[in-house]
């Protein structure tokens, strides 16, 4: 939540910061702001709404300078107003702050330290600017190291803070110095050619450098024209390596698509190959995911798997559960991270916990994994963003290699998560009960999956026609069984988050226990009826819907002519092995939600109230 970007170098800062903000807009888009240092003062401009509003406002300003910070906000404390937009300043306007996170004790800090200060917003962040102000004068007077005074003031201020922060500070008396600190909200430093960047993730810096340093919790950085120095909060210097990031800027572009979500839906057949590459072992009928860091003995000792995730990632985890139980015979649970962390979970050294997360920064998932680690379980990550907190805090795991996912609604990360979890299940299964022949069949199905996903995308024009027919409906029910129940959940979530249409998802067999009461000719049902072991059961459920005269849209397997008799509309997908069905069956549902949102004139990439990376509890 909230995106931060800062620049110090030899180029004009404003275009770099604005472009960086656009990259980070997925993190929040309630308001945005920028501050550029020029001739010993700061020029700051803020605007409510998306980055476009800020850019329009900036057109009337003449702001020049090669040093500045910017922020895109997802409101936590204080409404969506210009006063609450970042950057925030102290009383004098000398100290400028942008912040991602929550200062939990901000009222306490205000009462204790800020008597007589003039506060101009309702935010917790502004408290930080004033708190640094209270500390700065003492350090500036006492310290012979004038340069170090700002760093010392920030360290001292942060020692009083309870909560989370990714914080960047500038001071008019330290004209070319950026101080940043991290606790619980990500920050990355980009090291370019005589220029430096600081941001919430690597995307704003990819056009300029792929050399980065990931800050860890309780670390801070001082960036000047001459370089980067990292300290802990007690001012002890820390040596950190610069890492090379493979993601290119081109990967983070729309590539001719109308928006990121459509591009990312169409990326899926390509990026699934990246998830599989080098991980399938044909002649042994297995998969090998190198980063697991577990011996075969460790793997055989596991008698319980827990998959922890939120939202879409938790639906990918549900497919993972089927795979682990079916292939490896290991009892597997899916836990929503926000519940797990407070559930006093019972874990031991025979439990393997996977944290599944696109961003690797979801606060609830991070906290749940820390709890699991504390209780002695094996804790591993299934993550997309390289160098993210979950990737660094777990003792091993796997990158899903979906590439940058910038639309708020997750698509390609979901399918790649499923691919990785099924491969893990196969790897464990082959050490237990899966025969080489079954393993080989699954490996073969994996090899064909990219082409099948391409075929699934070819139905886009069909989906558009169906959307035209159904776009006036206000409610939808999604149904699936077995491995397609999580697909129904995901289809329903996609629809509600980007179109704001009410939808629900149920297992097909559960409908008659309540939800069937909702059905009427005004309540269409989207059902997944592909040719698998539950086909006949699901078919009966659809007959029950027909009897209630609800319109039916079916996702069916190519060649299934009977599906047409059951439904008002049918979308055909290619057949594959049951465990891989979600990879092809989800695509029409993603397209359905996407085209519905376009037809209704919604902002597909930036749906209201949401942010991509949920870094607050
Ligand atoms: C839905 C969506 C969210 C995320 C959830 C977890 O389209 O994107 O439900 O899946 O917030 O995010 P990550 O995977 O980053 O932990």
């Amino acid at each position: 939540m909230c995106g931060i970007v800062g620049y110090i170098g030899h180029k004009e800062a404003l275009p770099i910061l604005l472009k960086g903000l656009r990259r980070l807009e997925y993190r929040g888009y309630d308001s945005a702001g920028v501050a550029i240092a020029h001739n010993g003062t700061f020029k700051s401009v803020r605007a409510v709404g998306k980055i476009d509003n800020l850019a329009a406002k900036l057109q009337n300003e003449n702001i020049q300078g090669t040093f500045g910070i910017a922020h895109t906000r997802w409101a936590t404390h204080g409404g969506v107003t210009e006063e609450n937009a970042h950057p925030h300043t102290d009383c004098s306007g000398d100290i400028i702050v942008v912040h991602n996170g929550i200062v939990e004790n901000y009222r306490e800090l205000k009462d204790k330290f800020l008597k007589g200060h003039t506060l101009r917003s309702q935010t917790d962040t502004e408290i930080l600017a004033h708190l640094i102000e209270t500390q700065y004068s003492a350090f500036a007077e006492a310290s012979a190291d004038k340069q170090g005074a700002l760093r010392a003031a920030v360290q001292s201020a942060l020692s009083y803070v309870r909560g989370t922060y990714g914080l960047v500070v500038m001071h008019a008396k330290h004209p070319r110095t950026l101080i940043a600190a991290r606790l619980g909200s990500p920050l990355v430093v980009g090291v370019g050619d005589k220029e430096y960047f600081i941001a919430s993730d690597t995307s704003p810096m990819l056009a300029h450098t792929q050399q980065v340093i990931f800050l860890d919790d309780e670390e801070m950085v001082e960036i000047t024209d001459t370089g980067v120095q990292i300290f802990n909060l007690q001012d002890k210097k820390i040596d950190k390596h610069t890492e090379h990031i493979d993601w290119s800027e081109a990967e983070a572009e729309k590539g001719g698509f109308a928006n990121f979500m459509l591009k990312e839906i169409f990326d899926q057949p390509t990026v699934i190959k990246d998830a599989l590459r080098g991980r399938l072992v044909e002649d042994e009928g297995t998969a090998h995911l190198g980063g697991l860091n577990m011996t075969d003995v460790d793997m055989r000792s596991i008698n319980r798997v827990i998959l922890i995730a939120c939202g879409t990632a938790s639906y990918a985890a549900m497919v993972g559960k089927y795979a682990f139980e079916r292939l490896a015979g290991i009892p597997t649970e899916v836990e929503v991270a926000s519940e797990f962390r407070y559930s006093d979970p019972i874990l031991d050294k025979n439990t393997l916990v996977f944290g599944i997360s696109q961003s690797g920064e979801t606060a609830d998932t991070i906290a749940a994994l820390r709890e699991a680690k504390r209780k002695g379980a094996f804790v591993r990550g299934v993550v997309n963003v390289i160098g993210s907190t979950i990737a660094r805090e777990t003792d091993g795991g796997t990158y899903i290699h979906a590439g940058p996912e910038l639309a708020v609604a997750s698509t390609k990360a979901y399918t790649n998560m499923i691919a990785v979890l099924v491969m893990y299940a196969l790897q464990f299964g082959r050490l237990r009960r899966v025969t080489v022949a079954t393993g080989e069949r699954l490996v073969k199905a994996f090899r064909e999956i990219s082409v099948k996903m391409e075929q699934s995308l070819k139905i886009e024009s069909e989906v558009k026609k169906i959307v035209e027919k159904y776009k006036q409906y206000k409610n939808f029910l999604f149904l699936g069984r077995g491995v397609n129940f999580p697909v129904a959940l995901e289809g329903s979530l996609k629809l509600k988050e980007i179109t704001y249409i009410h939808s629900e998802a149920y297992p097909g067999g559960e409908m008659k226990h309540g939800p069937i009461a909702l059905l009427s000719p005004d309540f269409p049902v989207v059902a997944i009826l592909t040719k698998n072991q539950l086909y006949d059961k699901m078919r009966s459920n659809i007959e029950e819907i027909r009897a209630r005269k609800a319109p039916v849209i079916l996702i069916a397997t190519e060649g299934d002519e009977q599906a047409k008799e059951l439904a008002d509309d049918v979308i055909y997908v290619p057949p594959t092995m049951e465990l891989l069905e979600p990879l092809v069956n989800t695509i029409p549902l993603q397209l359905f939600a996407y085209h519905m949102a376009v037809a209704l004139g919604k902002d597909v990439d930036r749906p209201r109230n949401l942010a991509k990376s949920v870094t607050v509890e």
Side-chain angles (χ1 to χ4, degrees):
M1 317 312 251
C2 299
I4 288 175
V5 55
Y7 176 77
I8 178 165
H10 47 89
K11 298 181 189 138
E12 277 304 315
L14 187 58
I16 293 173
L17 295 178
L18 267 185
K19 195 168 168 200
L21 280 188
R22 290 188 195 282
R23 291 267 180 272
L24 293 175
E25 204 172 13
Y26 71 84
R27 300 179 68 89
Y29 31 83
D30 293 333
S31 59
V34 60
I36 306 271
H38 185 59
N39 285 343
T41 56
F42 293 114
K43 178 83 185 157
S44 175
V45 177
R46 302 179 294 176
V48 169
K50 297 181 177 153
I51 312 298
D52 283 345
N53 297 3
L54 177 67
K57 211 166 166 186
L58 282 162
Q59 275 182 347
N60 308 322
E61 308 274 346
N62 178 20
I63 301 187
Q64 286 179 336
T66 54
F67 166 52
I69 54 181
H71 184 271
T72 180
R73 178 170 187 245
W74 188 84
T76 55
H77 291 73
V80 180
T81 62
E82 194 172 312
E83 298 73 54
N84 289 338
H86 300 216
H88 290 285
T89 61
D90 67 334
C91 294
S92 66
D94 278 353
I95 298 173
I96 306 256
V97 169
V98 290
H99 166 230
N100 169 23
I102 293 181
V103 181
E104 286 167 7
N105 58 337
Y106 76 103
R107 281 177 207 283
E108 209 177 298
L109 294 173
K110 187 174 156 194
D111 294 344
K112 187 162 172 197
F113 292 101
L114 304 187
K115 298 228 165 61
H117 284 247
T118 312
L119 297 176
R120 305 174 196 91
S121 77
Q122 291 80 51
T123 64
D124 50 343
T125 301
E126 194 191 349
I127 303 288
L128 291 176
H130 291 267
L131 190 60
I132 295 168
E133 179 187 8
T134 62
Q135 307 301 300
Y136 180 77
S137 45
F139 284 104
E141 278 158 26
S143 167
D145 173 14
K146 295 287 176 229
Q147 175 66 19
L150 179 58
R151 199 174 69 237
V154 174
Q155 282 162 351
S156 175
L158 292 179
S159 69
Y160 298 108
V161 169
R162 218 173 46 240
T164 56
Y165 49 80
L167 177 80
V168 187
V169 184
M170 301 194 294
H171 195 304
K173 298 205 174 74
H174 298 256
R176 292 189 68 82
T177 304
L178 284 174
I179 301 284
R182 166 190 168 144
L183 181 67
S185 299
L187 281 178
V188 190
V189 179
V191 182
D193 182 14
K194 298 198 190 80
E195 59 181 353
Y196 302 93
F197 305 81
I198 179 102
S200 303
D201 71 27
T202 56
S203 58
M205 52 194 80
L206 288 175
H208 310 275
T209 181
Q210 289 175 304
Q211 298 301 118
V212 302
I213 302 169
F214 293 102
L215 287 192
D216 282 307
D217 278 351
E218 299 188 23
E219 287 180 354
M220 65 190 310
V221 60
E222 185 173 273
I223 311 176
T224 63
D225 285 308
T226 52
V228 170
Q229 296 193 78
I230 300 182
F231 301 85
N232 66 14
L233 294 180
Q234 290 71 45
D235 210 37
K236 188 167 174 299
K237 254 197 189 160
I238 298 171
D239 277 335
K240 291 201 87 156
H241 296 298
T242 307
E243 296 178 38
H244 180 84
I245 290 291
D246 280 338
W247 287 0
S248 68
E249 208 209 356
E251 282 176 299
E253 297 283 352
K254 285 185 200 152
F257 285 90
N259 42 50
F260 282 114
M261 184 176 176
L262 191 61
K263 173 194 178 266
E264 289 160 9
I265 291 172
F266 275 82
D267 274 350
Q268 290 175 108
T270 307
V271 298
I272 199 89
K273 289 195 234 164
D274 297 333
L276 304 178
R277 185 164 297 120
R279 291 168 169 176
L280 295 169
V281 190
E282 224 102 58
D283 49 355
E284 292 173 29
T286 190
H288 183 75
L289 293 110
L292 190 59
N293 290 338
M294 288 172 79
T295 62
D296 284 0
V297 174
D298 289 337
M299 288 172 74
R300 285 196 193 93
S301 75
I302 296 302
N303 58 21
R304 186 168 164 231
V305 171
I306 303 182
L307 306 173
I308 297 179
C310 300
T312 286
S314 74
Y315 302 148
M318 287 171 74
V319 180
K321 170 183 160 73
Y322 279 98
F324 265 100
E325 294 192 334
R326 198 169 289 177
L327 295 173
I330 308 176
T332 301
E333 295 147 50
V334 176
E335 294 275 359
V336 171
S338 52
E339 290 298 314
F340 178 85
R341 61 185 294 196
Y342 296 114
S343 66
D344 206 3
I346 299 157
L347 305 167
D348 61 25
K349 62 181 176 27
N350 302 115
T351 309
L352 170 59
V353 172
F354 281 105
I356 300 148
S357 173
Q358 188 288 127
S359 61
E361 301 293 350
T362 300
D364 285 321
T365 311
I366 293 170
L369 295 179
R370 286 180 184 156
E371 182 65 16
K373 230 176 169 179
R374 207 171 289 130
K375 298 215 158 134
F378 284 96
V379 177
R380 301 293 184 260
V382 173
V383 171
N384 192 36
V385 175
I386 295 158
S388 55
T389 303
I390 293 179
R392 284 176 300 117
E393 286 197 7
T394 45
D395 301 319
T398 297
Y399 284 119
I400 61 170
H401 295 313
E405 190 184 66
L406 298 177
V408 164
S410 187
T411 51
K412 60 179 179 170
Y414 167 79
T415 38
N416 273 28
M417 283 168 184
I418 291 175
V420 164
L421 289 169
V422 176
M423 281 192 287
Y424 266 130
L426 176 61
Q427 188 174 348
F428 276 81
R430 286 286 289 123
L431 290 180
R432 291 158 186 253
R433 59 187 205 171
V434 173
T435 62
V436 69
T438 306
E440 278 170 357
R441 269 206 311 284
L442 187 52
V443 170
K444 183 165 176 290
F446 263 129
R447 291 279 181 229
E448 292 164 357
I449 204 68
S450 167
V451 173
K452 305 244 164 153
M453 290 169 90
E454 295 270 10
Q455 285 168 15
S456 220
L457 282 165
K458 293 217 170 88
I459 46 78
E460 189 185 10
S461 53
E462 290 301 305
V463 173
K464 270 188 187 168
K465 280 189 214 143
I466 293 174
V467 161
E468 276 309 305
K469 194 167 153 192
Y470 289 91
K471 68 181 182 197
Q472 80 281 13
Y473 286 90
K474 302 283 178 262
N475 302 287
F476 283 84
L477 183 66
F478 286 74
L479 292 181
R481 291 191 76 139
V483 85
N484 285 309
F485 173 47
V487 174
L489 285 164
E490 176 61 2
S492 167
L493 179 63
K494 287 291 91 92
L495 188 71
K496 66 183 119 188
E497 69 183 329
I498 62 169
T499 67
Y500 323 138
I501 295 173
H502 167 242
S503 76
E504 307 197 23
Y506 276 90
E510 185 63 11
M511 229 197 11
K512 52 189 163 300
H513 300 287
I516 201 165
L518 291 169
L519 295 186
S520 73
D522 294 330
F523 209 129
V525 176
V526 182
I528 302 130
L529 176 72
T530 39
K531 285 275 172 108
N532 58 37
Q533 53 173 328
L534 289 169
Y535 178 84
D536 290 333
K537 303 281 173 210
M538 188 66 196
R539 215 191 123 97
S540 310
N541 299 144
I542 292 160
E543 299 282 9
E544 291 155 14
I545 299 166
R546 300 288 298 162
R548 272 82 193 170
K549 303 209 163 24
V552 176
I553 305 166
L554 278 187
I555 311 296
T557 307
E558 271 164 15
D560 180 3
E561 290 304 314
Q562 287 181 2
K564 289 187 183 146
E565 291 159 24
L566 280 172
D568 297 84
D569 295 279
V570 184
I571 299 170
Y572 283 111
V573 289
T576 179
M577 261 180 97
E578 189 173 344
L579 277 176
L580 303 191
E581 279 189 12
L583 299 176
V584 290
N585 295 357
T586 307
I587 288 175
L589 302 186
Q590 295 168 339
L591 288 170
F592 181 70
Y594 171 80
H595 283 292
M596 191 68 97
V598 171
L600 298 175
K602 306 295 184 218
D603 184 340
V604 174
D605 282 342
R606 291 159 300 188
R608 71 184 182 203
N609 303 339
L610 295 175
K612 186 149 187 76
S613 207
V614 185
T615 55
V616 292
E617 191 182 335

